Structure formats: C-alpha cells, structure tokens
Amino acid sequence: MEGRGLLPAICAACFIGMVVSQTTLAPAVMNTTFMENVTDLTVTPVILTTSPGCFAFNTSTCEPCAPGSQYDNNTLLCACCADPGLCLFPGACLPCNRGFYQPLAGQQQCLPCNLGFYTNFTGSPLCNPCPTGSFNNITGGDSCTSCPAGFFSSQHSSTSCSPCAQGSFCNSSGCSQCQMCPGGTEALQSAARGCTLCRPGMHKLPHQTMCQICGSGFYQVNWGRENCDLCPENHYCPSPDVNPIKCPSDAFCPEGSLSPGYCMETFFRKEGDTCELSPVTLALLVIGGGVAVLFINFNGPYVTRDIDRALSHSYHELHY
C-alpha cells in the first residue's frame, strides 16, 4: 500500500518543477503548489520560484542595432547581449526620435541634428539641411522655419535669415533672394516687403537703388517714372516737379531752359530768335563815331608834325 501512495507524489513533484521563461525585466512570478509528505501522508505547503534570466535566449545571434536606431537597455532582448549596442534582432532596438539621427550601426544613443539641419521622421540615419528660404537655429530640430517677408536665405543649412538690402524687397515668406525694385520705384529701408513710387520731379532706372532728382532743364510731373522729360523750346522749367512754363514774348527759351533769357536792356532788343542793337544804341554809336572823326581831323596835322620831328631827331643822332 505504501508503494501505491508514492507514485502520485512523484508525479506531482515533476509537474510543479515546470516553469515559464520571461523576456522582460518584470518582477519574478511566484509559482506556489502543495506536495504530499510521502512519509506520513500529510499535506504540507512548499513554495517554489522561477526567476527571469537570459538562459532562454540564444545570445549568439545578437546583432548590432541598425543605423537610425539605438540600444534599448529596458528589455532582455538587448540586455542579454554581451555588448551594448547589440540586440537579439534589429526590431528590438529603439528608432531615433524626430530631430535625432544615428548614421552608424550598434550605437547606444541617437544624436541631435545640428543647427541648420532637421529630420521630421523617426528612425533617421541622417539629418537634412534646411532648404533655401528657411532656417533652423536649434539643435534637435524636426523642421525648418520659413524666412518672413522682407528677409531671405540663399544658402542651404542656414541658421538665420538676412534682411533685404536697401533698394530690394521680398513680399512673401520663404524667399531665397530679394528682388530689385522695378524702374520708377524704390525701397528706402532694409527688410522691405514692397517698393514705393518715385515722387514727381524724380526718376529711377531699373538698375538704380534710389530715385534720382531730375537734372537741370528736365522735369517730371507724374509718379513712378523711369525718366525725366527735357523742357521744350519756348518754355522754361524752374522746378523739376512742375509743368513747363510758357516763355515771355520778349525773352529767349531754348530747350532745357531753367529760366527765360532776356536781351540787355537799353542797348539790345529781341528780334526773332536773336538780340539786335536798339535805336538808342545805334544813335549813340553814330554820335560817338562823328566825335572821333572830328577829333582826328582837328588834331591830325599837329600829330603828324610831332612825328616828323621825332624821326628827324633820331636820324640826326645816328649819323653825327
């Protein structure tokens, strides 16, 4: 009879000895059972435990974490491998977060993207440079910021945007370069979002930076012009921002006149396109000429005699 009681007890002990392996670092599972005391056939409780371990894994198959991922020490799938950076299979590794990258295999950590670079997806082996018209001024960035209107970035991987120079503009975000203001317009300040028209009396060619005042004898009464107009004949232009003024009837106004030109009063008068001697001037000239003739006729003999005496005296001194 004692032999018959021993067999069930042995079978129960074998069944209790079976355990279940674990693959994470969770607390150990306590397996509790009861076993009959074979000697006195009384039931006595016995507690058996099974702790997690790496014996259940074939660690000879550990592989380096692939580029774009890192070692995960929170799982036995990686912790059981001999070297950090290795896991039982690549899927056990952690992919790099957005803004981080890892170009090498078997690494314990991912690296943040540098200034001017970004990556907007997980598991990236590299970071991308910010395109032109954008920038990134933080490490570990997962996106780039477009340059605001009035600013530009002409280089890849920029960390900031530059303001448009005087005479140029950018009227939208994300500009890779600024545009020169068209002819007849200007931008007097940097970081301009648009251009303003040249005022009357001024002009600007497309290659120029600022509006220029019309030259002497030119005018412009309209806004936003590339050129000024030459003041026409029989008109004068005292200011570049007003219409030409009709020349007075007694004055001369050739093309490009700033003011009317007059003949010298008293002595000259305007006759057609020229100045002629006035009647008073002619009378004075006639009177003056007559006086000169009388003077010569009256003093002529005396002047001739004096000259003859002087010549005779000189001749005498030379020969004696």
Side-chain angles (χ1 to χ4, degrees):
M1 294 295 294
E2 293 181 355
R4 294 179 181 177
L6 182 60
L7 182 59
I10 294 174
C11 292
C14 293
F15 178 79
I16 295 173
M18 299 177 64
V19 296
V20 179
S21 63
Q22 300 179 2
T23 60
T24 61
L25 297 181
V29 178
M30 307 295 294
N31 292 335
T32 305
T33 188
F34 294 93
M35 183 172 62
E36 292 184 353
N37 192 315
V38 178
T39 304
D40 53 8
L41 298 180
T42 59
V43 179
T44 303
V46 177
I47 301 176
L48 300 177
T49 63
T50 301
S51 300
C54 297
F55 61 87
F57 303 117
N58 181 10
T59 56
S60 63
T61 62
C62 290
E63 300 179 35
C65 289
S69 64
Q70 68 178 29
Y71 173 83
D72 185 4
N73 60 359
N74 291 322
T75 174
L76 290 177
L77 296 176
C78 295
C80 288
C81 293
D83 297 325
L86 302 180
C87 292
L88 288 176
F89 53 90
C93 303
L94 289 176
C96 296
N97 292 327
R98 290 159 56 99
F100 289 76
Y101 76 108
Q102 180 51 257
L104 303 176
Q107 301 301 306
Q108 298 185 58
Q109 290 183 337
C110 294
L111 307 173
C113 292
N114 294 327
L115 299 176
F117 291 80
Y118 77 102
T119 177
N120 56 3
F121 61 91
T122 60
S124 176
L126 52 84
C127 295
N128 301 312
C130 289
T132 58
S134 65
F135 72 100
N136 175 35
N137 57 3
I138 61 172
T139 58
D142 60 0
S143 64
C144 298
T145 304
S146 296
C147 295
F151 291 78
F152 75 102
S153 170
S154 60
Q155 303 292 330
H156 289 85
S157 65
S158 295
T159 58
S160 63
C161 298
S162 303
C164 293
Q166 187 180 32
S168 62
F169 73 103
C170 169
N171 57 5
S172 64
S173 61
C175 285
S176 59
Q177 61 181 3
C178 299
Q179 302 178 41
M180 287 292 294
C181 288
T185 64
E186 65 181 353
L188 297 178
Q189 297 180 344
S190 60
R193 299 184 179 187
C195 303
T196 57
L197 297 174
C198 292
R199 300 175 60 85
M202 307 185 77
H203 71 104
K204 189 185 83 69
L205 295 173
H207 68 275
Q208 294 176 316
T209 301
M210 300 175 59
C211 297
Q212 310 293 318
I213 298 177
C214 295
S216 177
F218 289 80
Y219 74 101
Q220 183 53 259
V221 295
N222 298 309
W223 290 78
R225 299 296 180 173
E226 294 187 12
N227 299 290
C228 296
D229 299 322
L230 179 64
C231 194
E233 187 178 10
N234 294 324
H235 293 78
Y236 66 98
C237 301
S239 178
D241 58 347
V242 298
N243 283 309
I245 301 173
K246 184 69 176 179
C247 191
S249 60
D250 59 343
F252 295 99
C253 295
E255 281 185 335
S257 295
L258 287 175
S259 59
Y262 293 91
C263 296
M264 186 181 297
E265 295 182 2
T266 305
F267 299 104
F268 296 90
R269 66 177 181 179
K270 181 177 181 294
E271 187 65 31
D273 295 334
T274 61
C275 288
E276 293 183 350
L277 295 173
S278 66
V280 175
T281 304
L282 291 173
L284 291 175
L285 289 175
V286 170
I287 294 172
V291 171
V293 170
L294 291 175
F295 177 81
I296 294 172
N297 291 334
F298 180 78
N299 295 300
Y302 297 99
V303 173
T304 302
R305 185 177 59 187
D306 292 340
I307 293 174
D308 290 339
R309 287 179 180 179
L311 291 174
S312 177
H313 180 71
S314 300
Y315 178 83
H316 186 76
E317 288 181 351
L318 290 172
H319 289 84
Y320 294 99

